[in-house]
Amino acid sequence: MPQITIDGQRIETSAGKTIIEAALDNGIDIPHFCWHPGLSVSGNCRMCLVNTGFPRKSADGSLERDENGGNVINWGPKLAIACATPVADGMVIDTQGQRTEHAQNAIMEFLLINHPLDCPICDEAGECKLQEYAFLHSKGQSRYNEKKNHKDKRVELGPNVMFDGERCISCSRCIRFADEVAKQPVLTFVQRGDHVTIETFPGTTFDSPYSMNVNDICPVGALTSMDFRFASRVWEMSFTDSICPGCSRGCNIKVGVRNNEILRLEPRTNMHVNEYWMCDNARLTQYKFVNENRISSPMIRKGNTLVSASWQEATSQAADLLKKFKPSEIMVVGSARATNEDNYLLAKFAHNTIKTNNIDFLRHIDNSFSDNSLRTNDRTPNAHGAVEVGVKHEQPSGVSMSNLAERIKQRSIKALYVMDGDIAANSSLTDALDDLDCLIVHATNHNSTTERAHVVLASTTYAELEGTFTNLNKRVQYVQPAVATQDHERIEGMQMSRWDKFGAPNDRWARGERRNCRQNWEIVQDIANMLGAGWHYTNSENVFKDISNHVSAFSGMSYDLLQEFQGLTLGKAGSPEPKGVVYQSNYMKPN
Amino acid sequence: MNVNHNTEKDRLNFWEKLYLPEIARGLGLTLRQMFKKPMTRQYPEERWEPTGSYRGRPVLVLEEDGERCVACSLCSRVCPALAIEVQAAETTKEKERYPVKFEINMLRCIYCGFCEEVCPEEAIVMSKDYELIFTNQEDAILGKDKLLIPIAQLQDRLEFLRRFK
Ligand code: SF4
Ligand code: SF4
Ligand code: SF4
Ligand code: SF4
Ligand code: FES
């Protein structure tokens, strides 16, 4: 085990690590542009230069001491790049001294020679490594009086990636990402010296399903997202840790919100799930349904139309309808898009309150979506969890999703209580739904299921709830609200932007719609209590405590632990995997 | 009882207690003012024209080919009163972006001029307009239609900024 000293701090590290890795493991951040922990080392930006040396030894092999009793260091003749220099036992590294500082300042001056001063119109401003380092490691003066170089701006490298040649600092992160992670090696440097720029090979375009990750890792604003371009400055948004609901991988993400509207999603490091990445499909789609076409209050059917109702009216209507049927005529459908908490209470509702064992849920499988990277064929975030907490077909008497349509036609199932607002998306069920006497649906968006429903209960999307999802590797991960609803305002515990903190009712920028929707389990609890259940869950954590006490796979889990370890595996709460270092490229991003 | 008397009655002397001489003195003062040049003016018939250094309501500079503003939101960020809301969008012009929405809430604005100071394009400047009358809160939120002022009308301020900023 080599021992090294960084800035006077003694560090035990392992052989083969580079200086920058050893430092990062111990919370020391060495300035860098081209290095990224998820990519190979290219060592071209020279920002990570540090002063290295070894203690000097006298002829007899003992360490020489200076007058203060410290070691005498033989500093190297030149500085070394921390990203490509492996650690060696006894190495002494100085990341802050005069020599290092001088080198950092020189590199910054060099990089800024041709960099346009267009931060005001650059989307990266506020989360830009060049800005951060110009602030921290540069004198802020340029001695360059000549004309700046001009290059192409607004070049579309692919359908979602816009390139600005003038801003590029030629770190090659994007090229390495395309080669190594996206496995679509179409980006390259062309020209030399200060004419160097990035191009796609002739006849190719950078359209990999993971292409938008380069917008995040580009240390400057040379690569920007065409979906987000100019939508907002980052310092006006709040970023909330969340989990992508797009497929069963459960990528860790951050939800970027302004004025109660999601403007973008970005990946969050979790070395056990998605590392540093997420897929483009999710970035482009998994926020739109939260903003658009929402069911913004509960509704009940009056004649042929659905009309808005109060929660009291809607839930009592649902309870009254359910009372009219025999338990065996009612089918309860859970949801792989809902949380463990929601499904757990729904299963309890079916078994103990309605007393039916007709319970199942619909899988949303799309084989064209899976690849051998992150994307999986299960387009829901919580199929594993739903089964685990009890939403599963009860053999042999219970009705399952596969024979549901048939049972409805035979009139042995007359009422359906559905938590998955999208079951009509399954074509075999669409017609059958018309033959029901009663259809009660929890839904987030208007669709063909809600059109057929007798009671529509407005439920929260993943961005508005607190709860847990279980991904395909049985990892339980914590989700928290990023968007306010009428049920919960942006209060303590929620991430708030400057706008959220200081907005008043007469500010147009504080009036983003608050929808009258509630978490699935809250709705289920209300209806269950009307049918005599007598439950007293006050928040999601209560429900989760109940799950961890009653479902063995969850035992030992709590919201605190889930957050501390960024997720726990079912059945292994006692031996969590260490979270490791969570690398973030831009660390000064305001919130 | 140890009461400290200091009522008006205690403080006045005999002549003052009589009041009449004081009334006469007051009338005299008023009479003298009548022969002096008045300090006030007949607003609104008679208006005061501020100089370029005056900080009236902030406005956006409108040039022949449109606004100068590039919707960078720096004014919005620096504004201590959070009066400014900007929404950017893309244009085909060289500077890539422009404000689709630019709103200043005049009930929030404190006329500090920070927005003018921070603007990289000299696109927002303090005007001479001090007549801000609203009858409801919504009207006090000025949009681009009210904010954009032709550059010709802003010459005094621009000249002032060139010399003293
Ligand atoms: S476009 Fe960005 S990531 Fe690619 S080389 Fe230039 S600066 Fe680096
Ligand atoms: S791979 Fe799946 S979980 Fe990950 S970002 Fe894409 S859709 Fe979301
Ligand atoms: S003058 Fe001051 S308070 Fe008014 S909009 Fe500008 S920065 Fe805000
Ligand atoms: S600082 Fe100037 S350019 Fe930027 S948004 Fe404000 S007015 Fe427009
Ligand atoms: S980070 Fe080491 S050379 Fe770029």
Side-chain angles (χ1 to χ4, degrees), chain B residues 64-121:
Chain B
E64 264 138 49
D65 57 345
E67 70 269 283
R68 279 183 175 178
C69 173
V70 293
C72 68
S73 290
L74 292 186
C75 51
S76 163
R77 178 64 185 84
V78 81
C79 177
L82 287 91
I84 307 180
E85 182 188 4
V86 186
Q87 178 60 54
E90 187 146 11
T91 70
T92 48
K93 286 199 206 152
E94 196 207 332
K95 283 182 178 159
E96 298 191 27
R97 48 196 281 163
Y98 80 106
V100 264
K101 173 157 106 181
F102 198 111
E103 287 176 352
I104 306 187
N105 186 341
M106 292 317 297
L107 296 177
R108 276 187 173 266
C109 178
I110 54 169
Y111 309 93
C112 62
F114 283 9
C115 48
E116 173 186 65
E117 204 171 311
V118 79
C119 180
E121 299 287 326

Side-chain angles (χ1 to χ4, degrees), chain A residues 210 243-253 274 277-283 286 369 371 373-376 378-379:
Chain A
Y210 296 92
I243 302 296
C244 172
C247 79
S248 61
R249 178 72 55 191
C251 292
N252 289 213
I253 57 169
N274 54 318
W277 324 116
M278 70 184 285
C279 74
D280 291 3
N281 181 282
R283 288 197 208 235
Q286 296 303 319
F369 191 70
D371 61 17
S373 186
L374 295 175
R375 297 178 10 166
T376 69
D378 179 353
R379 298 300 313 266

Side-chain angles (χ1 to χ4, degrees), chain A residues 163 168-174 189 198 218-220 222-223:
Chain A
F163 174 62
C168 173
I169 57 164
S170 307
C171 71
S172 83
R173 271 184 172 187
C174 54
F189 282 131
I198 305 273
C218 178
V220 292
L223 299 175

Side-chain angles (χ1 to χ4, degrees), chain A residues 250-301:
Chain A
C251 292
N252 289 213
I253 57 169
K254 284 185 186 220
V255 180
V257 175
R258 193 190 64 187
N259 195 9
N260 220 35
E261 190 185 4
I262 305 185
L263 298 180
R264 76 173 191 208
L265 304 177
E266 56 187 58
R268 174 166 60 101
T269 307
N270 184 337
M271 295 314 287
H272 306 293
V273 182
N274 54 318
E275 300 191 343
Y276 315 94
W277 324 116
M278 70 184 285
C279 74
D280 291 3
N281 181 282
R283 288 197 208 235
L284 296 171
T285 62
Q286 296 303 319
Y287 70 95
K288 296 215 164 106
F289 70 85
V290 181
N291 298 338
E292 293 161 13
N293 187 32
R294 286 296 298 278
I295 293 186
S296 49
S297 81
M299 296 187 291
I300 49 183
R301 183 167 295 281

Side-chain angles (χ1 to χ4, degrees), chain A residues 376-391:
Chain A
T376 69
N377 66 355
D378 179 353
R379 298 300 313 266
T380 57
N382 195 33
H384 253 290
V387 175
E388 206 66 46
V389 297
V391 174

